[in-house]
Amino acid sequence: MASNGAYRNGGSQRGSFKADRPPHAGSNLRTSSFKARPSIRRSTSGSFGSNANKDGDGVPGRVRVAVRLRPRNGEEQVADADFADCVELQPELKRLKLRKNNWDSDTYEFDEVLTESASQKRVYEVVAKPVVESVLEGYNGTVMAYGQTGTGKTFTLGRLGDEDTANRGIMVRAMEDILSDVSPETDAVSVSYLQLYMETLQDLLDPANDNIPFVEDPKTGDVSVPGATVVEIRNQSSFLELLRLGEAHRFAANTKLNTESSRSHAILMVHVKRSIVREDVLSGEEGEPLELGRPFRPVIRKSKLVVVDLAGSERIHKSGSEGHLLDEAKSINLSLSALGKCINALAENSAHVPIRDSKLTRLLRDSFGGSARTSLIVTIGPSPRHRGETSSTILFGQRAMKVENMLKIKEEFDYKSLSRKLEVQVDKLIAENERQQKAFEDEIEKIHLEAQNRISEAERNFADALEKESKKCQLDYMETVKKLEEKLVLNQPKIHNDDSICGKSSGQEGFVSAAEEVEVKKMLENEVNLRKVAEEEVNRLRHQLELYGQPNVGEESDIVKLTKVLEDEARQKKKLEEEVIILQSQLLQLTLEAEQMRKCLDRGGADNGFPAYDTPMSPFRHSQLKETKSSHKPQVATLFEQVGLQKILSLLDSEDANARIHAVKVLANLAAEESNQKRIVEAGGLISLLMLLRSYEDETVRRVAAGAIANLAMNEANQERIMAEGGISLLSLTANAAEDPQTLRMVAGAIANLCGNEKLQSKLRSEGGLKALLGMVRCGHPDVLSQVARGVANFAKCESRAASHEMNNGRSLLIEDGALPWIIQNANNEVAPIRRHIELALCHIAQHEINAKEMIRGGALWELIRISRDCSREDIRNLARRTLTSSPVFRSEMRRLRIEF
């Protein structure tokens, strides 16, 4: 097939897909005389699988070379049947012997020697996998295949493995490892697929882009091809499609040595971009690392894996190339010759390396003598007719082993990622600061207004008190003066007595006047003292007025609490009114449903598969037709007595959905009466209800069935029966699957009733009942939360009772299941039933001394103190006080916090 315009895997103008024969077992190694192997330059980089050191600017890494022997093809088996192979492999010694004649041979040593039976997986693991691992660590890497045409280079590198996955080549396996190691969220993998044809770089993914220029970095010398198509890879299937597309556009031709000889060098470039966070350790004055201050900085590592499938070298007289094929062969040989010269110069440490003699050498500048980890696999054939080409290939590999590269990690600081992260954090902080500032301003304004109102009210109160006290003092003063005047008037007649009795009486009168004078002085002193007391009282009142002018935090909190209590009472009243309306509507609905149930039973004998009612049932039917709006309970009781429980239970399996729903509703109402519960259980009603939970997906049926089970669970004997029949597991499954708040309320009520039985504590937890109860808080509906809180309170009460009888010495199962944070969070819930049950649960949990430390860590101590002071129920307040005073742990913590109790 002519090569002009021929593409691999193309249509009428393209050649077929190239598939070199895979190596197979069956060839035995031929021994010959051993010859001293040539000296090989050794490197500190170790064996094929060693990893490069990351410390420092760069570490040396020798080019690793492996040799792979292709098995004989069909032509060679016929033509060379009488001749031995020209090579003998010693893989255990990593040696290869090239025969000169029957008695002499040359021995060569490689990093790996792969026999004709070596699998594709082994070839990948010893040749390419160390390079791929280095690429994932941030180094550049190159895997290249070199050899005579038809020796299996494309099979080794580019085999897709569509027919047999074991034949996948290095390209496919390398991408599998890369995709499995990178993170799709932070890392990126992209691919370019090129061919160098007749010294022209062409894009295999876009054939129209057939002359791509090189760009060389003047500082680093790195060569890039920015004009090539770059495709981001997300999965392995898209990468395989790209390889198929590229192989279809690659030039191939039919020669005497190979029916599908590659006429171009194929170059696959895999770009890996990884984001990492490096931890910088700060050092002290003596060089020791500091414990504090470990800043993290984001770093981007950019690495590149280059897989090169070189076109095969060929001799013109053997390949029979002529015309355009001859031009292609000359171009291939010239580029391979230029590559050989560069490798010779690097191996001999020559001062000049002819990198610019060919575009191939410029592209591979980083692979030989650069900063990439390079692995070369040379492929050879066993035929003695091609001994010269085999020898040339082996010598090429020997020279390549002497080339040293300086491996360097390609990484740079990720300023964009850090900037985005900091911007997000700054925006969050700004928004949070604005919210807090607004809340603070609103709170200050509220406190200011309340303080102004309190000051005004205090001023008015104390002004009134001051005025009253002043009036009282004035009245007392006037009353005292009046008494003194009256005494003065009474004493005036005594002054005008006779002179005859002047001597004696004058003495007596003087004595009386002196006594009265003393009495008046005492009264005046008392008046002065009263005046001083009044003035002190006025000063005290003024001082208190000034104190009341300041905002009182304690009174403010009391007012807030009273406001909340009033709001709770108002909401509770409104809720009770709504519940009364709902119950009235449900009463009317149940009356109608009972009538519909009766009608269904009248006509349901043949329709539902039940036998017709006998004669004694007819009075029930006639009487029901005549009844008008009577009370609900007499109707249900009459239905229970006349229709019979078995008839009602049989309707639970009816094919009529409405009949089934009405039957389960009637059964639920019957179960609400304690007198009916024993008969329902004995007749199999409990098992029927559990079967409804297990088998029916209808939300109404499950909700009403759960309500009936909740009614039956109020009886202790029924509780053990429910547990024995697997009711806990069914209720738990229903709770996990249901989303309707009313269904969850019924299920929570049933489990809450079971939580009040001390004998069922361990089974409730082991069968998932306790976990299901706590899981229903996800609903958030107040009615559901109220039932959950009731179940928690019942469970905690049973635990407390068991601990007091020394039947349970372990930590509370509620704490172990993680319920304590939710309990503390809802201890002051605005819904009164939830708050009451949670307060009771907290007190019961706290009675067990082993729970005290865990509760203190969770903040439950403050809630217990609040309950002991502010709870609306006196019995719960007293229980909280007893718990706090009887626990040494709580008393010690309150002393530490200086809380007076």
Side-chain angles (χ1 to χ4, degrees):
M1 179 179 67
S3 64
N4 186 15
Y7 292 88
R8 185 184 306 276
N9 286 1
S12 59
Q13 294 182 355
R14 298 175 182 175
S16 62
F17 182 82
K18 177 179 179 181
D20 292 344
R21 293 177 59 84
H24 59 80
S27 297
N28 296 326
L29 295 176
R30 295 170 175 81
T31 58
S32 64
S33 60
F34 176 81
K35 184 176 180 179
R37 57 193 174 195
S39 62
I40 299 174
R41 174 175 298 184
R42 299 295 179 187
S43 172
T44 58
S45 59
S47 63
F48 229 102
S50 63
N51 292 327
N53 186 10
K54 301 176 188 177
D55 299 332
D57 294 335
V59 293
R62 176 173 59 81
V63 175
R64 323 303 296 169
V65 181
V67 61
R68 186 181 192 185
L69 176 64
R70 173 182 60 76
R72 287 192 178 192
N73 54 30
E75 179 186 356
E76 292 171 346
Q77 289 177 356
V78 175
D80 301 334
D82 298 332
F83 300 94
D85 292 346
C86 67
V87 293
E88 177 185 356
L89 304 183
Q90 295 178 331
E92 65 280 357
L93 299 177
K94 297 183 180 181
R95 291 175 182 166
L96 178 147
K97 290 185 178 181
L98 179 62
R99 286 194 177 92
K100 293 182 178 179
N101 45 48
N102 291 334
W103 58 86
D104 194 11
S105 63
D106 292 332
T107 303
Y108 302 94
E109 180 180 338
F110 289 91
D111 293 298
E112 195 69 37
V113 175
L114 302 168
T115 65
E116 61 270 30
S117 62
S119 65
Q120 290 280 76
K121 181 179 180 181
R122 171 166 170 75
V123 173
Y124 169 74
E125 288 179 347
V126 300
V127 175
K129 191 169 184 177
V131 178
V132 173
E133 291 175 348
S134 295
V135 170
L136 291 173
E137 292 174 355
Y139 297 94
N140 287 344
T142 302
V143 178
M144 186 169 67
Y146 177 91
Q148 183 187 8
T149 181
T151 54
K153 297 183 298 301
T154 303
F155 178 85
T156 301
L157 294 182
R159 188 75 169 183
L160 299 182
D162 292 332
E163 299 83 3
D164 186 359
T165 56
N167 288 336
R168 290 170 297 155
I170 287 177
M171 291 181 180
V172 178
R173 294 177 185 270
M175 183 55 69
E176 288 176 353
D177 283 355
I178 291 174
L179 291 178
S180 65
D181 191 77
V182 299
S183 173
E185 290 79 12
T186 59
D187 304 335
V189 180
S190 56
V191 166
S192 297
Y193 201 9
L194 312 171
Q195 70 174 352
L196 185 61
Y197 175 72
M198 300 285 287
E199 286 299 302
T200 302
L201 191 61
Q202 301 177 0
D203 197 335
L204 289 176
L205 303 180
D206 183 12
N209 192 8
D210 58 358
N211 191 8
I212 303 174
F214 293 169
V215 175
E216 185 173 344
D217 191 336
K219 295 182 179 179
T220 62
D222 293 339
V223 176
S224 60
V225 281
T229 301
V230 179
V231 180
E232 187 171 355
I233 301 299
R234 291 290 183 180
N235 50 63
Q236 187 71 7
S237 59
S238 62
F239 175 67
L240 292 176
E241 290 298 325
L242 290 179
L243 289 184
R244 291 189 185 96
L245 177 64
E247 287 296 324
H249 294 150
R250 189 177 177 187
F251 287 102
N254 185 5
T255 66
K256 292 181 180 181
L257 297 177
N258 191 357
T259 57
E260 293 184 9
S261 176
S262 299
R263 314 310 290 171
S264 65
H265 306 298
I267 304 164
L268 176 70
M269 294 184 178
V270 182
H271 301 272
V272 180
K273 180 180 178 182
R274 310 197 70 178
S275 297
I276 62 172
V277 178
R278 172 171 294 177
E279 183 179 2
D280 294 339
V281 181
L282 301 180
S283 299
E285 297 179 356
E286 299 180 357
E288 297 180 353
L290 298 176
E291 292 296 331
L292 299 176
R294 290 178 176 265
F296 294 88
R297 57 189 185 97
V299 173
I300 293 180
R301 284 184 176 174
K302 296 181 179 179
S303 55
K304 179 174 64 175
L305 173 64
V306 180
V307 183
V308 184
D309 181 11
L310 295 173
S313 61
E314 61 182 61
R315 295 190 179 181
I316 305 303
H317 68 278
K318 290 185 178 182
S319 64
S321 300
E322 58 184 11
H324 188 71
L325 289 178
L326 179 60
D327 294 336
E328 291 176 342
K330 290 179 179 179
S331 176
I332 292 170
N333 290 337
L334 284 174
S335 60
L336 293 177
S337 175
L339 178 61
K341 292 178 181 178
C342 290
I343 290 177
N344 288 340
L346 290 170
E348 296 172 358
N349 292 327
S350 176
H352 172 67
V353 180
I355 292 292
R356 300 187 178 275
D357 287 359
S358 170
K359 289 186 177 181
L360 177 63
T361 55
R362 292 179 64 189
L363 275 174
L364 300 178
R365 179 173 184 174
D366 191 46
S367 303
F368 293 96
S371 60
R373 176 182 288 278
T374 301
S375 287
L376 171 67
I377 180 168
V378 294
T379 56
I380 59 176
S383 176
R385 291 180 296 155
H386 304 300
R387 184 188 179 283
E389 288 83 347
T390 301
S391 176
S392 176
T393 300
I394 291 172
L395 292 176
F396 180 88
Q398 289 286 293
R399 289 190 294 270
M401 290 177 66
K402 300 178 181 180
V403 178
E404 291 274 358
N405 291 349
M406 187 61 66
L407 309 182
K408 295 181 180 180
I409 290 182
K410 311 288 185 179
E411 65 180 25
E412 60 186 28
F413 188 76
D414 190 2
Y415 292 98
K416 293 183 179 179
S417 174
L418 182 60
S419 176
R420 288 194 300 269
K421 183 177 180 181
L422 292 177
E423 286 178 357
V424 172
Q425 292 180 354
V426 168
D427 292 340
K428 288 183 179 179
L429 291 174
I430 291 175
E432 182 65 23
N433 182 50
E434 290 179 351
R435 287 193 293 269
Q436 293 181 357
Q437 183 68 22
K438 183 65 169 60
F440 179 75
E441 292 176 355
D442 294 343
E443 187 68 20
I444 290 296
E445 182 67 22
K446 181 180 178 181
I447 292 173
H448 179 71
L449 292 175
E450 292 181 355
Q452 291 292 338
N453 295 333
R454 289 175 181 275
I455 290 172
S456 300
E457 184 179 358
E459 287 178 350
R460 289 194 300 270
N461 293 336
F462 283 100
D464 295 341
L466 183 62
E467 184 177 357
K468 290 179 181 180
E469 190 67 24
S470 177
K471 290 181 179 180
K472 182 180 178 182
C473 292
Q474 290 179 1
L475 291 174
D476 292 341
Y477 179 75
M478 292 176 64
E479 185 69 22
T480 303
V481 172
K482 185 177 180 181
K483 289 180 180 180
L484 292 175
E485 289 178 350
E486 289 177 355
K487 288 184 178 182
L488 181 62
V489 171
L490 291 175
N491 291 329
Q492 282 181 355
K494 297 179 180 180
I495 301 175
H496 303 288
N497 288 337
D498 296 332
D499 293 337
S500 58
I501 55 174
C502 184
K504 184 176 180 179
S505 63
S506 61
Q508 297 176 351
E509 193 174 304
F511 176 77
V512 173
S513 298
E516 291 178 354
E517 184 179 357
V518 171
E519 184 179 357
V520 170
K521 287 182 179 180
K522 288 182 178 180
M523 294 177 66
L524 288 176
E525 290 178 356
N526 291 335
E527 184 64 25
V528 172
N529 292 333
L530 289 174
R531 185 62 178 264
K532 289 182 179 180
V533 170
E535 290 178 354
E536 291 177 356
E537 182 67 18
V538 170
N539 292 332
R540 184 180 64 81
L541 292 175
R542 286 178 179 175
H543 180 66
Q544 290 184 357
L545 180 62
E546 293 177 357
L547 293 178
Y548 275 93
Q550 300 177 358
N552 193 324
V553 179
E555 290 186 0
E556 180 182 346
S557 61
D558 293 339
I559 293 175
V560 172
K561 290 179 181 178
L562 289 174
T563 305
K564 289 184 178 179
V565 171
L566 291 175
E567 291 176 354
D568 290 342
E569 292 295 335
R571 282 195 291 269
Q572 187 68 17
K573 181 180 178 181
K574 184 177 180 181
K575 183 178 178 182
L576 290 175
E577 292 175 353
E578 292 175 353
E579 289 181 354
V580 169
I581 295 173
I582 292 172
L583 290 174
Q584 290 175 350
S585 63
Q586 288 179 350
L587 180 61
L588 180 59
Q589 180 184 357
L590 289 173
T591 304
L592 298 175
E593 288 176 355
E595 181 65 18
Q596 293 175 1
M597 183 67 181
R598 184 194 60 76
K599 293 179 180 179
C600 180
L601 291 174
D602 288 343
R603 69 170 186 273
D607 295 341
N608 296 320
F610 303 130
Y613 295 141
D614 51 9
T615 305
M617 294 295 295
S618 57
F620 164 74
R621 293 195 296 268
H622 290 299
S623 62
Q624 288 295 315
L625 289 172
K626 295 178 182 179
E627 286 182 356
T628 56
K629 298 181 180 179
S630 60
S631 64
H632 173 63
K633 290 184 179 179
Q635 286 187 354
V636 175
T638 304
L639 186 65
F640 182 75
E641 294 172 0
Q642 297 185 7
V643 176
L645 181 59
Q646 292 299 331
K647 290 289 185 180
I648 297 174
L649 293 177
S650 65
L651 285 178
L652 295 177
D653 299 326
S654 173
E655 295 180 357
D656 187 357
N658 291 327
R660 187 167 61 247
I661 292 174
H662 291 315
V664 72
K665 287 184 177 180
V666 171
L667 189 61
N669 286 296
L670 289 173
E673 296 295 326
E674 186 176 358
S675 59
N676 300 330
Q677 292 181 359
K678 184 177 180 181
R679 294 174 60 186
I680 292 174
V681 174
E682 289 176 353
L686 175 60
I687 298 177
S688 299
L689 290 171
L690 293 175
M691 290 297 294
L692 289 177
L693 283 184
R694 180 183 291 111
S695 58
Y696 280 96
E697 297 294 330
D698 186 82
E699 191 69 23
T700 303
V701 173
R702 292 201 304 178
R703 178 174 67 251
V704 181
I709 294 173
N711 291 336
L712 294 176
M714 291 187 294
N715 186 288
E716 184 175 354
N718 295 338
Q719 291 173 357
E720 296 179 1
R721 186 71 178 271
I722 292 172
M723 184 68 71
E725 296 295 339
I728 285 296
S729 300
L730 291 175
L731 290 171
S732 301
L733 293 175
T734 305
N736 294 332
E739 296 294 334
D740 180 58
Q742 296 305 321
T743 303
L744 292 174
R745 179 173 68 89
M746 297 296 183
V747 176
I751 298 178
N753 290 336
L754 296 175
C755 287
N757 193 326
E758 295 179 10
K759 303 176 183 178
L760 308 180
Q761 296 282 297
S762 59
K763 288 187 177 180
L764 271 171
R765 191 192 186 198
S766 62
E767 294 184 14
L770 183 59
K771 185 177 181 181
L773 179 69
L774 298 176
M776 283 185 278
V777 301
R778 71 183 186 277
C779 175
H781 196 277
D783 292 341
V784 179
L785 296 182
S786 179
Q787 294 299 326
V788 174
R790 184 170 69 86
V792 170
N794 289 342
F795 196 94
K797 183 177 181 181
C798 291
E799 279 191 329
S800 175
R801 195 177 300 157
S804 64
H805 292 86
E806 297 183 356
M807 297 172 60
N808 180 17
N809 297 324
R811 196 171 58 153
S812 172
L813 298 180
L814 292 169
I815 295 178
E816 290 185 358
D817 284 359
L820 185 60
W822 182 82
I823 294 174
I824 296 172
Q825 182 182 357
N826 289 272
N828 198 18
N829 195 292
E830 62 182 7
V831 181
I834 300 175
R835 183 175 65 253
R836 184 177 68 254
H837 291 310
I838 293 299
E839 288 174 346
L840 196 58
L842 264 180
C843 293
H844 285 308
I845 294 173
Q847 285 184 332
H848 198 8
E849 190 69 17
I850 197 171
N851 300 326
K853 292 184 178 179
E854 186 73 18
M855 297 182 71
I856 291 173
R857 285 194 294 268
L861 176 60
W862 299 104
E863 292 299 331
L864 288 170
I865 295 173
R866 180 193 62 77
I867 294 170
S868 67
R869 294 175 177 175
D870 304 328
C871 182
S872 58
R873 286 183 47 170
E874 184 177 0
D875 56 339
I876 299 179
R877 286 201 308 271
N878 294 335
L879 180 60
R881 291 193 188 100
R882 288 198 304 272
T883 302
L884 290 173
T885 55
S886 62
S887 171
V889 178
F890 286 139
R891 291 201 308 271
S892 175
E893 183 66 12
M894 287 189 293
R895 285 196 300 270
R896 188 183 67 83
L897 297 175
R898 298 181 180 177
I899 298 175
E900 296 181 2
F901 189 81

